[in-house]
């Protein structure tokens, strides 16, 4: 026994290692999977080497190696030379791909490199070392077949079987494989091995017994001390048991005397609170049950907001307070359908309201129809976010605008007997049959009706805008109310205690109740406060509705109540952006109403102008039409804040046609006057002189016609303009009146200023060009039948042109006061006209000089220096000069006469000088020189004897050649 510590271990199989067969007592943990490796041989192999032993069997502990390329047992030559095939093919590729396969030489690819043995050099060097390591490992590690054999002889799964028992001989022989002893050396060898194993096991048993005895001897004192302490511990446990029994009896007495009564009171209070809650819940259910009748009552008085708020509150209560109640399972869907029905009712009611408001008589008081009903409708539509209700109003507005024109025409046609409405059904035909005064009266009635119509629309839209602004303000207040505010500490504590008691009563643990109460205190208990507020408000609304239905006093709400409803239904309300968009749409709707009114008036205007009747209006009639349109445009602009352009554009179009006709009439009239003008001085009636005087006073307009009487003045010979006398023809007098008509028309209709200026420029150019053709071009000889164009005709035409030139700056200044600064560029037409007129006047003056030059050339060509003196040539020249002076003296001003005669004198001197040079007469003091001096003196005396030419410097010395 003493030598047992140094004895050899129990013999084991040759390759057994530390497998689970010999460790049954420690088999709680399953064997770990690890790779097979060489283990030290603790059981020497038998001397007989006939068998491979257990080392070739499968391992009980280790798992098998996973399959690798080294486990492959089949190669390509074996597959190609398989002897089991019935028919061996000579070629593997023909066998696989068919008999049609033919070998052919494949050219090497240019994209693939040529591989030689040198390319495998680094790989072979690397793999050589690995191959050596692999061969070394093969000598150390056991063969896989040996391990498989061991696994088949003693599978480790036997230990996991439910029928495992070492008492069973088969199991014992499997766990302790004695068979290899039997197979190794025969019966004698088996007996020897069994004895050897028995001795070793006995030796191990002795060693264990010795160790146990040694441990007991070492700890004997502690063992006996523990036994004695056990008795003392039992005594103390008995005393403790008695003390616990006494404590329990006292605790039971305290519970009976002090706790059961108060706890019963608490339970009773909790029961009462639950009953109160149940009663409130039942009242709430009763109120919910009355929702639909109350909604019907509210709808009967058009309280759509109250009905919608009631439905929303009921749905909220159903979701929060009455969720899961079986009797109300269909109420939610019914309320949704009722809400959709209310939406349709509101839309239809608003459409009916708009139709009745816009189609009622315009002569009624300009008050909003049923203002409270309109506010209720708008509140309800906004609450339901039905923001397209303005489109309904827009459609009704356009329909009503069409009706207004029809009504006005019908009212006007009733009083006109000449129009048969059965024959002329269309409104346009009826309007064209009216006279201008009748049609103008109709137009003014249409304008008045549309102004009342726009005023009514504006008042209605103002009411809607105020409602939207109230909703916008309530949303702002709602945001301020929704901001979190700290609650009082005492209130939080009381709410926490009540919630704690409620949770404890409901069966939660106290720790859970404390945690949840603390979390709800931190969050402000918003959810429960909101539920209680909604419930109380709902009950209050239901009670108020019931009371009002009992008293049959009707249900009405003020704007403040609706505002509160909007605050409670904030989740359904439109956002500020949408409300601002509605306000903008209201303004745009008013603008559209103005545009529609103008468009309908344009229809009236174009219907009348279809047959060209507006183009045939007189100036006064068209001015009255233009003024009426301008007044209507200004009134609508002031009322709606927008300047509509359609009616102005239509008027401008008619004005352009009017201007064309106006201009063509006057141009034709002027052409006829010019074609019949005989270019003789005309007498000036007093009205034309008054007209000129009014222009001089700054009144660029036609004076009112005066009734003629016997005291009228006689016509004057000249037209006095700023102290100057103008001899004129009758056409120029009418021309002055014509361009005053242009100025008057521009003053009355400023929108046609540019067109009228262009037409007036054309008229003045036409007068200038036509007068030039008739006088200078001698067109009057054929048209009027004049025998010749005299100097008097020329001088009279020049004076008429000068009168027109005098008035061109005045006309320009008048147009400049009416035109916009950006339109001043059109005034350049007057500058061009002035230049043309001045050129024409200069041509007339040149023509007069040319007439005398031809006479001088004719007379002086026959001039001879001989007696008697004065010569006949000079006598004829002085006679023609006197006739010229007599013709132009009364027509042209003194300055112009003097300038003309200076030019004529210069021509005379030039021709005389040329003739004297031809005759060879010089100022040498000879007889011929003396005769010429006598003729020149006679000429000078006669010229200076003419009126206004006394101080004329003739400078006759220039007729002589200068001596060199």
């Amino acid at each position: 026994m003493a030598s047992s510590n140094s004895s050899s271990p129990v013999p084991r199989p040759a390759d057994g290692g530390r497998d689970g067969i010999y460790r049954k007592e420690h088999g709680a943990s399953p064997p770990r999977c690890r790779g097979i490796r060489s283990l030290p041989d603790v059981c020497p192999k038998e001397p007989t080497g006939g068998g491979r032993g257990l080392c070739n069997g499968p391992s009980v502990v280790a798992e098998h190696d996973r399959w690798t390329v080294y486990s492959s047992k089949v190669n390509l030559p074996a597959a190609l030379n398989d002897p089991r095939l019935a028919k061996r093919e000579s070629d593997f590729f023909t066998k696989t791909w068919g008999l049609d396969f033919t070998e052919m030489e494949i050219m090497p690819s240019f994209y693939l490199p040529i591989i030689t043995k040198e390319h495998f050099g680094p790989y072979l060097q690397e793999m050589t070392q690995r191959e050596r390591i692999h061969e070394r490992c093969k000598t150390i590690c056991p063969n896989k077949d040996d391990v498989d054999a061991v696994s088949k002889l003693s599978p480790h799964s036997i230990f996991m079987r439910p029928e495992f028992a070492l008492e069973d001989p088969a199991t014992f022989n499997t766990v302790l494989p004695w068979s290899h002893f039997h197979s190794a050396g025969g019966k004698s060898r088996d007996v020897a091995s069994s004895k050897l194993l028995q001795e070793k096991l006995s030796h191990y048993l002795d060693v264990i017994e010795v160790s146990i005895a040694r441990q007991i001897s070492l700890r004997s004192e502690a063992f006996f001390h523990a036994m004695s302490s056990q008795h003392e511990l039992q005594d103390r446990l008995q005393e403790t048991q008695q003390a616990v029994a006494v404590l329990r009896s006292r605790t039971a007495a305290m519970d009976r005397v002090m706790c059961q009564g108060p706890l019963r009171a608490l339970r009773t209070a909790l029961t009462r609170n639950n009953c109160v809650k149940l009663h409130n819940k039942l009242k709430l259910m009763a109120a919910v049950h009355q929702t639909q009748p109350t909604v019907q009552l509210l709808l009967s008085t058009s309280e759509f907001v109250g009905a919608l708020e009631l439905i929303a509150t009921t749905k909220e209560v159903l979701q929060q307070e009455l969720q899961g109640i079986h009797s109300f399972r269909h109420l939610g869907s019914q309320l949704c359908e009722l809400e959709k029905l209310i939406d349709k009712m509101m839309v239809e009611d608003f459409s009916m309201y708009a139709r009745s408001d816009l189609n009622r008589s315009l002569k009624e008081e300009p008050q909003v129809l049923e203002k409270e009903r309109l506010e209720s409708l708008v509140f309800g539509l906004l609450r339901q976010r039905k923001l397209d209700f303005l489109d309904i109003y827009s459609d009704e507005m356009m329909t009503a605008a069409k009706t207004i024109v029809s009504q006005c025409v019908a009212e006007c046609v009733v009083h006109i007997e000449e129009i048969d409405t059965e024959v002329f059904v269309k409104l346009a035909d009826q309007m064209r049959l009216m006279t201008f005064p009748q049609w103008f009266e109709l137009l003014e009635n249409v304008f008045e009706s549309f102004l009342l119509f726009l005023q009514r629309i504006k008042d209605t839209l103002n009411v809607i805008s105020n409602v939207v602004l109230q909703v916008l303000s309530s949303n702002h207040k709602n945001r301020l109310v929704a901001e979190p505010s700290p609650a009082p500490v005492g209130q939080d504590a009381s709410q926490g205690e009540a919630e704690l008691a409620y949770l404890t009563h409901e069966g939660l643990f106290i720790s859970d109740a404390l945690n949840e109460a603390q979390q709800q205190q931190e969050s402000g208990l918003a959810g429960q406060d909101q539920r209680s507020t909604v419930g109380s408000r709902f009950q209050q609304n239901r009670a108020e509705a019931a009371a009002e239905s009992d008293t049959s006093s009707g249900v009405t709400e003020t704007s403040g109540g609706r505002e509160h409803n909007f605050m409670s239904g904030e989740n359904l309300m439109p956002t500020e952006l949408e409300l601002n968009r509605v306000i903008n749409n209201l303004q745009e709707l008013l603008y559209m109403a103005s545009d529609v009114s103008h468009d309908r008036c344009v229809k009236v205007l174009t219907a009348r102008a279809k047959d060209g009747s507006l183009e045939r209006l007189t100036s006064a009639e068209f001015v009255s039409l233009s003024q009426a349109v301008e007044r209507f445009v200004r009134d609508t602009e002031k009322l709606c804040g927008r300047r509509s352009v359609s009616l102005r554009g239509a008027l401008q179009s008619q004005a352009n046609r009017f201007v064309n006709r106006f201009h063509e009439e006057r141009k034709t009239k002027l052409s006829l006057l010019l074609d019949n003008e005989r270019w003789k001085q005309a007498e000036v009636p007093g009205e034309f002189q008054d007209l000129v005087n009014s222009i001089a006073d700054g009144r660029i307009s036609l004076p009112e016609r005066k009734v003629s009487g016997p005291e009228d003045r006689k016509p004057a010979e000249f037209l006095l303009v700023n102290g100057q006398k103008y001899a004129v023809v009758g056409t120029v007098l009418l021309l002055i009146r014509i361009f005053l008509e242009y100025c008057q028309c521009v003053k009355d209709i400023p929108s046609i200023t540019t067109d009228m200026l262009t037409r007036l420029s054309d008229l003045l150019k036409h007068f200038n060009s036509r007068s030039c053709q008739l006088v200078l071009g001698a067109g009057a000889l054929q048209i009027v039948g004049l025998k010749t164009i005299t100097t008097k005709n020329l001088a009279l035409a020049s004076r008429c042109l000068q009168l027109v030139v005098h008035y061109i700056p005045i006309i320009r200044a008048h147009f400049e006061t009416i035109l916009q600064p950006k339109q001043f560029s059109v005034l350049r037409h007057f500058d061009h006209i002035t230049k043309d007129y001045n050129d024409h006047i200069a041509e007339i003056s040149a023509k007069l000089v040319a007439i005398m030059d031809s006479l001088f050339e004719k007379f002086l060509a026959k001039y001879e220096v001989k007696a008697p003196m004065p010569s006949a040539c000079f006598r004829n020249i002085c006679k023609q000069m006197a006739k010229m002076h007599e013709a132009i003296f009364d027509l042209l001003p003194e300055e112009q006469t003097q300038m003309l005669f200076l030019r004529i004198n210069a021509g005379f001197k030039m021709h005389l000088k040329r003739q004297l040079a031809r005759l060879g007469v010089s100022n040498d003091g000879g007889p011929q020189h003396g005769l010429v001096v006598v003729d020149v003196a006679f000429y000078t005396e006669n010229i200076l004897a003419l009126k206004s030419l006394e101080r004329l410097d003739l400078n006759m010395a220039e007729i002589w050649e200068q001596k060199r």
Side-chain angles (χ1 to χ4, degrees):
M1 297 294 291
S3 62
S4 62
N5 292 333
S6 60
S7 62
S8 62
V10 178
R12 298 183 181 181
D15 199 25
R18 298 181 61 188
D19 51 19
I21 298 175
Y22 302 103
R23 298 181 60 85
K24 174 72 169 60
E25 64 275 14
H26 301 291
S29 60
R32 292 174 295 175
C33 298
R34 66 178 69 182
I36 300 176
R37 61 180 179 175
S38 177
L39 300 175
D41 190 3
V42 296
C43 185
K45 297 181 180 179
E46 299 300 329
T48 59
R52 297 179 61 186
L54 293 176
C55 61
N56 295 328
S59 174
V60 179
V61 179
E63 295 288 341
H64 301 290
D65 290 339
R66 63 185 181 88
W67 189 90
T68 62
V69 294
Y70 302 110
S71 303
S72 175
K73 296 295 190 297
V74 180
N75 53 12
L76 184 59
L80 295 176
N81 300 317
D82 190 355
R84 294 173 296 180
L85 297 177
K87 181 181 179 182
R88 300 187 60 184
E89 301 292 341
S90 60
D91 191 356
F92 171 75
F93 299 102
T94 306
K95 170 187 174 181
T96 304
W97 295 336
L99 298 175
D100 296 334
F101 175 77
T102 58
E103 292 186 359
M104 61 181 297
E105 185 179 359
I106 300 175
M107 296 297 294
S109 174
F110 297 102
Y111 301 101
L112 297 177
I114 299 176
I115 304 301
T116 61
K117 187 176 181 181
E118 285 75 10
H119 289 85
F120 296 94
Y123 172 75
L124 293 175
Q125 292 177 2
E126 181 182 358
M127 297 306 296
T128 301
Q129 183 66 21
R130 294 187 178 182
E131 185 179 8
R132 293 173 183 172
I133 297 174
H134 176 65
E135 293 295 335
R136 191 183 307 117
C137 291
K138 285 175 65 178
T139 59
I140 296 174
C141 295
N143 194 357
K144 182 176 182 296
D145 296 335
D146 299 337
V147 177
D148 292 341
V150 174
S151 299
K152 292 178 180 179
L153 291 175
S154 57
H156 64 279
S157 60
I158 192 173
F159 297 100
M160 308 303 295
R161 296 177 180 176
E163 65 272 9
F164 176 78
L166 284 177
E167 293 81 0
D168 186 10
T171 304
F172 185 82
N173 291 330
T174 302
V175 174
L176 296 175
W178 304 101
S179 60
H180 77 284
F181 294 107
H182 296 282
S183 62
K187 186 174 181 181
S188 60
R189 182 62 177 169
D190 295 339
V191 174
S193 298
S194 299
K195 289 182 179 180
L196 179 60
L197 179 60
Q198 185 177 3
E199 289 178 0
K200 286 192 176 290
L201 294 177
S202 300
H203 172 68
Y204 290 155
L205 181 60
D206 295 338
V207 172
I208 292 172
E209 290 178 353
V210 171
S211 298
I212 292 174
R214 183 182 177 187
Q215 292 297 328
I216 291 174
S217 64
L218 292 175
R219 292 174 174 79
S220 59
E221 184 178 355
F223 176 74
F224 290 113
H225 179 69
M227 293 299 294
S228 60
S229 298
Q230 179 69 23
H231 295 289
E232 184 179 358
L233 182 60
Q234 290 180 354
D235 296 338
R236 291 186 180 181
L237 286 175
Q238 187 175 2
E239 294 175 359
T240 303
Q241 183 181 5
Q242 294 176 357
V244 169
V246 173
L247 180 59
R248 284 183 174 178
S249 61
R250 292 180 180 178
T251 304
M254 291 175 63
D255 176 64
R256 185 175 56 259
V257 175
M258 301 178 62
C259 298
Q260 289 183 1
L263 287 176
R264 191 181 302 110
L266 288 175
R267 284 194 295 272
T268 304
L270 289 175
T271 303
R272 181 181 180 277
N273 291 335
N274 291 337
C275 292
V276 171
K277 292 179 181 179
L278 178 59
H279 179 255
N280 293 333
K281 192 77 70 176
L282 292 174
K283 290 196 297 184
L284 192 60
M285 291 174 64
V288 168
H289 186 66
Q290 294 295 324
T291 297
Q292 292 180 342
T294 308
V295 168
Q296 297 295 335
L297 177 63
L298 293 171
L299 292 179
S300 63
T301 56
S302 298
E303 284 297 334
F304 298 104
V305 179
L308 291 171
E309 172 63 18
L310 178 57
I311 292 174
T313 308
T314 304
K315 291 166 66 176
E316 184 180 1
V317 170
L318 286 174
Q319 293 177 359
Q320 296 183 1
E321 301 292 335
L322 303 178
Q323 187 175 9
I325 296 180
H326 186 72
S327 59
F328 290 151
R329 63 186 182 277
H330 300 303
L331 183 58
S333 60
Q334 293 174 359
L335 293 177
C336 292
E337 293 297 328
L338 187 59
E339 188 174 4
K340 294 179 182 178
L341 178 62
I342 293 175
D343 291 346
K344 294 180 181 179
M345 290 178 59
M346 287 192 299
V347 173
E348 293 176 358
D349 201 0
F350 184 80
S351 178
M352 293 176 58
Y353 173 84
R355 192 178 303 112
S356 60
D357 180 47
L358 295 174
N359 292 326
R360 63 191 173 103
S361 177
L362 296 172
K363 297 180 181 179
E364 296 181 3
E365 295 183 0
Q367 294 181 354
V368 179
L369 180 65
E370 299 180 9
K371 182 178 179 181
E372 293 183 357
R373 177 189 173 192
L374 175 62
E375 290 178 347
S376 177
L377 282 170
V378 175
F379 270 115
L381 291 169
L382 289 177
R383 190 188 186 283
Q384 294 302 104
R385 306 186 78 162
K386 300 290 183 181
L387 305 181
D388 57 346
F389 65 94
L390 293 180
D391 296 337
I392 301 174
Y393 194 85
S394 175
D395 296 338
E396 296 295 338
M397 177 188 67
M398 297 182 69
T399 305
K402 295 179 182 179
T403 308
I404 288 176
V405 177
S406 303
Q407 290 177 352
C408 292
V409 174
E411 292 175 359
C412 186
V413 170
V414 169
H415 304 288
I416 302 176
E417 298 179 355
E418 292 81 4
I419 300 177
D420 188 358
T421 56
E422 296 181 357
V423 178
F424 301 97
V425 181
K426 295 183 179 180
L427 298 179
D429 297 336
Q430 296 174 3
M431 285 188 285
R432 282 193 287 271
L433 292 175
M434 298 178 185
T435 62
F436 177 77
Q438 294 172 345
W439 178 82
F440 187 70
E441 182 181 0
L442 168 65
L443 183 63
E444 288 185 334
N445 291 337
V446 171
F447 286 162
E448 182 181 0
S449 299
F450 273 115
L451 287 175
L452 295 174
F453 180 68
L454 292 176
Q455 183 64 48
R456 178 174 297 175
I457 292 175
K458 184 178 180 181
D459 294 340
T460 303
L461 295 182
N462 285 336
V463 173
I464 298 176
S465 178
N466 292 334
V467 173
V468 177
L469 292 176
Q470 289 180 13
V471 175
L472 197 60
S473 176
S474 67
N475 284 353
H476 181 67
K477 293 178 181 178
N478 200 7
R479 285 200 312 272
L480 296 179
V481 171
E483 292 180 358
S485 58
V489 178
Q491 183 178 358
D492 289 346
S494 62
Q495 290 177 354
E497 291 177 359
E499 188 71 11
L500 177 60
Y502 176 75
L503 293 173
T504 306
H505 178 68
E506 292 294 327
L508 296 179
F509 292 100
I510 294 178
S511 58
D512 296 337
L514 286 172
N515 294 333
E516 189 167 349
Q518 184 176 1
Q519 292 176 2
Q520 291 188 359
Q521 287 179 5
E522 292 175 356
S523 62
L525 295 177
Q528 179 144 354
D529 291 342
Q530 183 178 3
R531 289 194 298 270
S532 61
T533 304
V534 171
S536 61
R537 185 177 69 245
F538 181 79
Q539 294 173 8
Q540 183 179 0
N541 290 340
R542 299 291 75 70
E544 292 177 358
E548 291 174 357
S549 61
D550 292 339
T551 56
S552 300
S553 59
V555 181
T556 58
E557 290 184 354
T558 61
S559 298
R562 296 191 184 98
E563 212 170 295
H564 174 73
N565 292 336
F566 279 116
M567 293 176 65
S568 63
E570 59 179 304
N571 56 338
L572 299 176
M573 283 305 299
T575 61
E576 287 190 14
L577 180 62
E578 293 174 336
L579 292 175
N580 290 327
R581 190 180 298 118
V582 171
I583 294 176
N584 294 333
N585 291 339
L586 288 171
Q587 189 63 38
E588 290 295 331
L589 186 58
L590 185 60
Y591 293 160
M592 188 177 70
S594 176
D595 294 340
V596 169
S597 301
H598 280 246
D599 292 340
R600 303 315 302 177
C601 294
V602 168
K603 296 286 186 182
V604 177
L605 196 65
T606 53
R608 176 71 179 183
K610 190 173 182 180
D611 59 351
S613 58
L614 293 183
E615 301 176 15
R616 296 189 294 271
L617 296 179
T618 64
S619 300
E621 290 174 343
F622 194 85
V623 166
S624 61
L625 173 62
S626 176
Q627 290 175 351
V629 171
E630 287 295 330
R631 283 195 304 270
F632 177 71
V633 171
R634 285 195 302 269
D635 292 340
T636 55
E637 182 179 356
K638 181 179 179 181
L639 186 63
C640 302
R642 178 169 180 165
R643 189 173 187 177
S644 299
V645 296
S646 59
L647 185 57
R648 268 203 177 103
L651 179 64
Q652 184 64 39
S653 177
Q654 296 300 324
N656 293 335
R657 296 190 182 94
F658 170 77
V659 168
N660 289 333
R661 184 200 56 81
F662 180 88
H663 174 65
E664 292 299 329
E665 286 182 356
R666 280 147 185 79
K667 187 176 180 180
T668 303
K669 182 178 180 180
L670 181 62
S671 298
L672 292 175
L673 291 174
L674 286 172
D675 291 342
N676 294 309
E677 181 61 56
R678 302 189 64 85
W679 298 100
K680 293 183 178 180
Q681 184 177 358
E683 293 181 346
V684 180
E687 59 175 332
F688 284 98
Q689 185 63 53
D690 295 338
L691 189 64
V692 169
N693 293 337
S694 67
I695 295 174
D697 295 337
R699 295 188 300 273
I700 312 298
S701 60
L702 292 173
E704 298 180 357
R705 293 182 178 271
K706 297 180 181 179
V707 180
S708 59
E711 69 277 7
D712 286 349
R713 295 171 295 172
K714 294 182 179 181
E717 187 178 359
F718 296 95
L719 183 66
L720 294 177
V721 180
N722 293 335
Q724 289 190 11
K725 293 181 179 181
Y726 283 89
V728 295
V729 296
T731 303
V732 173
L733 294 176
L734 294 177
L735 178 63
I736 293 174
R737 184 177 184 86
I738 287 173
F739 69 65
L740 283 180
E741 290 177 354
Y742 277 81
C743 295
Q744 180 69 38
C745 192
V746 167
K747 182 180 179 181
D748 295 332
I749 313 174
S751 60
I752 62 174
T753 302
T754 54
D755 292 337
M756 197 63 78
L757 188 148
T758 305
R759 303 302 193 281
L760 179 58
S761 301
D762 180 67
L763 186 74
L764 294 175
K765 290 179 181 178
H766 177 70
F767 174 78
N768 185 38
S769 62
R770 189 60 180 162
S771 61
C772 181
Q773 294 172 2
L774 293 173
V775 180
L776 282 179
L781 299 179
Q782 292 81 17
I783 297 176
V784 184
L786 296 179
K787 296 180 179 180
T788 182
I789 302 297
T790 63
T791 55
K792 192 170 187 177
N793 297 140
L794 292 173
L796 189 59
S798 176
R799 195 55 174 161
C800 291
L801 293 174
Q802 292 173 20
L803 179 62
V804 177
V805 170
H806 171 77
Y807 281 113
I808 287 177
I810 299 175
I811 298 172
R812 176 193 175 108
H814 176 74
F815 275 88
E816 189 173 359
T817 58
I818 301 175
L819 288 172
Q820 299 293 331
K822 61 183 180 181
Q823 298 174 330
F824 283 171
S825 59
V826 298
L827 295 174
R828 66 180 183 276
H829 294 297
F830 291 113
D831 299 332
H832 301 326
I833 293 171
T834 303
K835 181 178 181 301
D836 294 340
Y837 271 74
N838 289 329
D839 293 341
H840 190 185
I841 294 170
E843 289 178 2
I844 293 176
S845 300
K847 182 65 175 178
L848 291 173
V849 174
I851 291 173
M852 296 306 296
D853 282 346
S854 63
L855 291 175
F856 292 152
E857 185 177 4
K858 176 182 177 182
F859 290 147
L860 290 176
K862 301 176 181 180
Y863 176 63
E864 296 179 355
V865 183
K866 63 180 181 178
M869 293 295 158
S871 63
C873 176
F874 271 77
R875 291 177 184 275
N876 291 329
I877 289 174
C878 290
K879 183 178 179 180
Q880 293 297 329
M881 294 286 282
K883 287 183 179 180
M884 170 68 73
H885 182 269
E886 183 182 1
I888 68 173
F889 176 74
D890 293 333
L891 301 179
L892 297 178
E894 182 177 349
E895 295 80 6
Q896 293 184 20
T897 304
Q898 292 177 358
M899 292 299 299
L900 181 62
F901 270 87
L902 283 176
R903 293 178 61 186
I904 294 172
N905 181 62
F908 170 75
K909 289 189 292 183
M910 180 187 66
H911 288 288
L912 179 60
K913 183 177 180 180
R914 189 180 301 154
Q915 182 64 22
L916 291 176
R918 187 183 304 115
L919 295 175
V921 179
S922 62
N923 57 346
D924 54 357
Q928 289 185 337
H929 173 262
L931 294 175
V932 172
V933 170
V934 173
D935 282 338
V936 170
F938 175 77
Y939 170 79
T940 304
E941 181 180 359
N942 278 277
I943 294 300
L944 296 178
L946 299 175
K947 290 182 180 180
S948 71
L949 302 181
E950 296 86 358
R951 294 183 297 276
L952 198 65
D953 186 10
L954 300 179
N955 193 11
M956 298 303 296
E958 294 180 354
I959 65 174
W960 305 106
E961 291 286 346
Q962 297 294 332
K963 293 182 179 181
R964 298 180 180 177

